[in-house]
Amino acid sequence: MRLIQKGLRMPRFAANLSLLFCEYPPIKRFAAAKLAGFNYVEMLFPYELDQARAKQEIERNDLTLVLINTAAGDWNAGERGFAAVPGAQDRFREEFEQALQWAHALNAQFVHVMAGIAQGEEAQMIYIENLRWAAEQTSTQQLTIEPINPIDMPGYFLNNFSQAMDILKSVNAPNLHLQFDAYHAHRIAGNVLNAWQNYGNFAAHIQVAGAEGRHEPVNGAIDYHAFFEQLDREQYAGVVCGEYFPKGRTEDGLGWIHSTG
């Protein structure tokens, strides 16, 4: 369900603190983001932080934490979550309960449920079952699923938008939404605006990065000026998060916000 608010103008940009402001220790990135002008942040995996300190930094800097992910497992060993992984149902539920506790403690708007490395009909059934279970655990916490392109993340179960639509319809939960990453949409579908027109009605959160290279979203294959103008016309009321690898110092590369906004 698209988030609509009459009269709203873009942009409402967020900073992904797992990729941006890496010049600073993770706990100090909240203050760095606020100093750079952000009111919204997301963090993929906050679980190594001291939770009380993280909460203090978010509140002290008057920030809104938009999104966290469920834990991926051992990233270096190739794990990318567990929601669709056969035989990992208990592990998934444990990791989801952890994410839910963190989301409640830090007042995160969304929890992105990572599918993991899997394939086939059994994985599809397990994914749907786990998502239904997750959505039933809370009526207030909003959840997302995100198609991730198979070039950047080979073997990831959820790797296209039509598949995501089938899963959302099968789960049919009011608190489960599409997470639309424009960089992944470019690599999956080729045309971001067409992908948005086809699937954006189900999106509750957007992420952006430049193509190619996944750096600042400017001067690349994706026309972000046109994309943000489209969001304006539709009065999209969600947040757009920069999830990219800065070419240099994070603060030196934030001009894209003003040139595209």
Side-chain angles (χ1 to χ4, degrees):
M1 178 178 64
R2 183 177 298 151
L3 304 178
I4 297 294
Q5 181 175 321
K6 296 299 183 182
L8 182 73
R9 289 291 294 174
M10 285 288 294
R12 297 173 72 211
F13 287 120
N16 183 302
L17 299 186
S18 298
L19 277 64
L20 275 64
F21 299 102
C22 290
E23 302 87 350
Y24 307 94
I27 197 63
K28 294 189 176 183
R29 294 175 195 170
F30 298 102
K34 185 66 175 184
L35 187 62
F38 289 99
N39 293 317
Y40 303 90
V41 295
E42 68 178 29
M43 182 170 278
L44 302 182
F45 308 109
Y47 307 109
E48 298 301 318
L49 298 178
D50 178 271
Q51 189 179 94
R53 177 78 185 281
K55 180 179 175 65
Q56 181 182 53
E57 286 298 301
I58 291 169
E59 293 177 348
R60 183 173 69 86
N61 289 286
D62 194 23
L63 293 167
T64 296
L65 181 63
V66 183
L67 178 140
I68 63 173
N69 289 355
T70 54
D74 188 340
W75 192 273
N76 292 330
E79 293 178 332
R80 299 293 185 270
F82 305 98
V85 179
Q89 290 94 322
D90 290 343
R91 178 74 182 273
F92 165 71
R93 295 188 179 202
E94 176 184 340
E95 302 286 15
F96 180 79
E97 288 173 350
Q98 177 194 37
L100 196 61
Q101 191 276 326
W102 274 79
H104 288 169
L106 303 183
N107 200 27
Q109 293 180 346
F110 296 103
V111 172
H112 167 214
V113 182
M114 295 197 68
I117 306 299
Q119 60 181 341
E121 292 183 3
E122 182 184 8
Q124 176 100 348
M125 290 188 293
I126 289 170
Y127 193 31
I128 291 170
E129 177 184 329
N130 279 334
L131 287 171
R132 282 176 179 157
W133 174 86
E136 290 170 355
Q137 300 313 297
T138 172
S139 61
T140 57
Q141 181 62 57
Q142 303 302 303
L143 311 176
T144 66
I145 59 173
E146 176 191 15
I148 297 178
N149 82 81
I151 301 169
D152 285 46
M153 197 173 287
Y156 191 74
F157 179 73
L158 185 60
N159 59 24
N160 68 76
F161 285 94
S162 60
Q163 177 192 23
M165 292 302 98
D166 290 342
I167 289 166
L168 287 172
K169 291 174 184 176
S170 294
V171 177
N172 192 30
N175 58 333
L176 180 65
H177 314 277
L178 177 69
Q179 183 171 317
F180 187 94
D181 186 305
Y183 169 80
H184 290 304
H186 168 73
R187 305 209 77 171
I188 292 169
N191 188 306
V192 171
L193 280 175
N194 283 350
W196 177 260
Q197 289 168 1
N198 290 331
Y199 307 110
N201 193 52
F202 296 88
H205 184 59
I206 297 173
Q207 294 168 324
V208 295
E212 305 301 328
R214 204 172 182 182
H215 298 304
E216 285 81 354
V218 64
N219 297 330
I222 303 171
D223 187 346
Y224 276 113
H225 184 78
F227 181 51
F228 294 150
E229 282 190 339
Q230 181 65 29
L231 297 181
D232 266 353
R233 285 191 292 271
E234 297 180 7
Q235 298 180 316
Y236 174 77
V239 172
V240 176
C241 186
E243 187 195 36
Y244 60 87
F245 299 101
K247 288 184 178 180
R249 183 173 174 267
T250 299
E251 290 90 339
D252 295 338
L254 295 177
W256 64 271
I257 294 175
H258 307 292
S259 64
T260 56

